[in-house]
Amino acid sequence: MFAVAAAAGQTVRNAAQRQLTQTLGTVGATHVRFLFGFPFAVVFLALVVAWTGTPPPRPPAGFWPWVASGALTQIVATALMLAAMGERSFLVVIAYTKTEPVQVALFGLVVLGDAVTLPMAAAILVATAGVVLMSLRPGQTASRPGETAGGGARPMLLGLGSAALFALSAVGYRGAIISLPTDFVTAASTTLCVALAIQSVLLSGWLALRDPPVLIAVLRAWRPSLLAGFMGALASQLWFLAFALTAAANVRTVALVEVLFAQGVSRFAFGQRSTARELLGIALIVAGVVLLLWVH
């Protein structure tokens, strides 16, 4: 249930970031997620310590490669996704980044030894097929010379690469959490604080060197950024709690319910009706998630 709540929180965060993108640009609005999320993550950790009476553990040496890989691959994954969208193949990018659960299952099996049973594999594939079905649109045509219908090979490869790095990020975070010698709540909260600190420092430094006006604009927009930061930190806290309890592949599969939340926003906030193909995609997502929950 942590993953379902996290998906709902992430939907709210995405909505809050929508208007920030217009004033800060894509990179600036993305940085809001880390920079303004970090203080809330610290508050969450303080509340956890006060509640459990357990201080944050001293991370062992093995913790740092895991958390660093999770933070760095998440940043690069976002950059690849934005680069793919710059190729004007948004729908293809969305479709291929939603293959993440399949890749998480493979990486989790190889890197962490997280077992993937046949029913789990079936659930992951069914839910992912539903998202891909909803993401693709029929009748797309090439927008540039040399591109195939739907966007060409370059955006497809960038989208798949982005999904692979998001998958590695999830595996890295789970590896960091389970390496900490403490209860799962404290471990998840500690890992989140460290990861957001790394990302905030790195992205702030990059913007300071490459695009100082954007960094200044981000800092000046602190008031409207607080909601996005809070919801981002809350969603991440819930993701990390889920990572502490089960394999990353299970978490990222259940997380596909975010598509259902987004569909609800489109229907009730914007009055956009679903097509038969989208309804079939929704049915596949629900079936995959229900199957995954049932086998557990």
Side-chain angles (χ1 to χ4, degrees):
M1 291 301 102
F2 285 132
V4 175
Q10 187 160 291
T11 302
V12 176
R13 186 205 71 201
N14 290 338
Q17 283 183 299
R18 182 177 181 180
Q19 294 194 358
L20 290 173
T21 303
Q22 299 174 1
T23 56
L24 302 177
T26 303
V27 177
T30 299
H31 187 33
V32 164
R33 168 187 179 183
F34 304 121
L35 186 63
F36 292 94
F38 175 64
F40 291 109
V42 174
V43 172
F44 295 158
L45 178 59
L47 291 174
V48 167
V49 170
W51 175 50
T52 63
T54 303
R58 175 173 294 182
F63 168 84
W64 297 105
W66 286 119
V67 72
S69 65
L72 292 173
T73 51
Q74 188 176 38
I75 292 174
V76 178
T78 303
L80 288 179
M81 181 179 66
L82 296 176
M85 290 179 180
E87 298 281 332
R88 298 181 182 179
S89 299
F90 176 79
L91 296 174
V92 172
V93 174
I94 294 298
Y96 282 100
T97 56
K98 293 307 182 182
T99 65
E100 181 194 355
V102 178
Q103 301 193 53
V104 169
L106 294 175
F107 290 135
L109 176 63
V110 173
V111 178
L112 294 176
D114 287 336
V116 179
T117 64
L118 186 59
M120 287 172 54
I124 292 169
L125 291 175
V126 168
T128 301
V131 174
V132 172
L133 185 63
M134 289 184 65
S135 300
L136 292 176
R137 297 290 187 270
Q140 294 190 70
T141 58
S143 59
R144 298 181 182 181
E147 285 190 354
T148 60
R154 176 180 166 82
M156 180 187 69
L157 293 175
L158 288 172
L160 288 173
S162 174
L165 288 173
F166 275 129
L168 285 172
S169 177
V171 172
Y173 285 144
R174 172 162 163 78
I177 291 167
I178 63 178
S179 73
L180 291 176
T182 186
D183 62 274
F184 80 95
V185 178
T186 305
S189 302
T190 302
T191 302
L192 176 60
C193 278
V194 174
L196 284 176
I198 293 171
Q199 291 167 325
S200 297
V201 170
L202 288 178
L203 281 179
S204 294
W206 187 86
L207 285 173
L209 292 174
R210 299 293 299 273
D211 203 345
V214 172
L215 181 59
I216 293 172
V218 168
L219 296 175
R220 287 177 175 172
W222 65 271
R223 289 182 185 275
S225 299
L226 287 178
L227 175 60
F230 171 73
M231 294 308 302
L234 178 61
S236 295
Q237 176 77 25
L238 294 169
W239 289 132
F240 281 35
L241 288 171
F243 287 146
L245 294 175
T246 188
N250 297 337
V251 176
R252 300 312 293 169
T253 301
V254 175
L256 294 180
V257 298
E258 182 185 349
V259 176
L260 307 184
F261 297 141
Q263 192 75 5
V265 171
S266 296
R267 175 68 179 88
F268 296 107
F270 303 110
Q272 299 172 344
R273 295 184 178 275
S274 301
T275 65
R277 175 184 45 74
E278 289 171 337
L279 292 174
L280 177 57
I282 290 173
L284 288 174
I285 294 170
V286 172
V289 172
V290 169
L291 176 58
L292 185 63
L293 295 175
W294 178 73
V295 299
H296 279 273

